[in-house]
């Protein structure tokens, strides 16, 4: 079963200058690298705000997702990259059930003098 990831990318000013000079679809440009790692791009968007490109990927696992993030970061055109594993709501619910049975105890509040 493939894992799903949210990929958020912020470009450097130089990368933006290159994209403006030669506009193209970055999703299509990175698709071969994702596929070579056994993944696929489910959706992708340019965005405005903290990140310039947002994509949802399926990757075989964390190693492949990290490999793509490392390769992209090493390319020099990215100011920031964030890869977040996504859980289905069923997986999230299962995690909550396991958390309830984990026995974890939060630290008590220390008295402040």
């Amino acid at each position: 079963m493939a894992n799903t990831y949210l990929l958020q990318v912020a470009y450097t000013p130089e990368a933006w200058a290159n994209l403006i000079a030669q506009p193209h679809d970055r999703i299509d440009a990175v698709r071969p690298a994702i596929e070579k790692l056994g993944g696929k791009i489910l959706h992708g968007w340019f965005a405005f705000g903290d990140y310039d490109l947002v994509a949802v990927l399926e990757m075989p696992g964390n190693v492949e997702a990290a490999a793509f993030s490392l390769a992209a970061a090493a390319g020099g055109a990215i100011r920031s990259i964030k890869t977040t594993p996504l859980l289905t709501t069923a997986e999230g619910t299962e995690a909550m059930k396991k958390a309830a049975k984990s026995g974890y105890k939060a630290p008590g509040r220390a008295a402040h003098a």
Side-chain angles (χ1 to χ4, degrees):
M1 176 173 116
N3 297 305
T4 308
Y5 299 86
L6 173 65
L7 181 71
Q8 298 168 282
V9 175
Y11 292 118
T12 63
E14 182 180 273
W16 270 121
N18 292 335
L19 282 166
I20 290 168
Q22 295 180 1
H24 62 282
D25 185 336
R26 290 304 300 157
I27 297 299
D28 288 340
V30 301
R31 190 178 311 278
I34 298 284
E35 290 175 351
K36 189 170 186 177
L37 291 166
K40 69 180 182 176
I41 300 171
L42 299 179
H43 300 286
W45 305 267
F46 276 114
F48 299 99
D50 292 338
Y51 293 97
D52 303 315
L53 184 116
V54 179
V56 177
L57 314 175
E58 275 188 354
M59 298 298 280
N62 291 336
V63 170
E64 294 80 8
F68 177 75
S69 290
L70 290 168
I78 293 175
R79 178 174 45 84
S80 174
I81 188 166
K82 184 176 180 182
T83 306
T84 306
L86 301 175
L87 284 76
T88 64
T89 54
E91 290 170 325
T93 302
E94 185 63 25
M96 287 181 252
K97 290 176 183 176
K98 287 186 178 193
K101 296 177 184 177
S102 72
Y104 173 78
K105 302 281 188 225
R109 291 188 176 207
H112 297 306

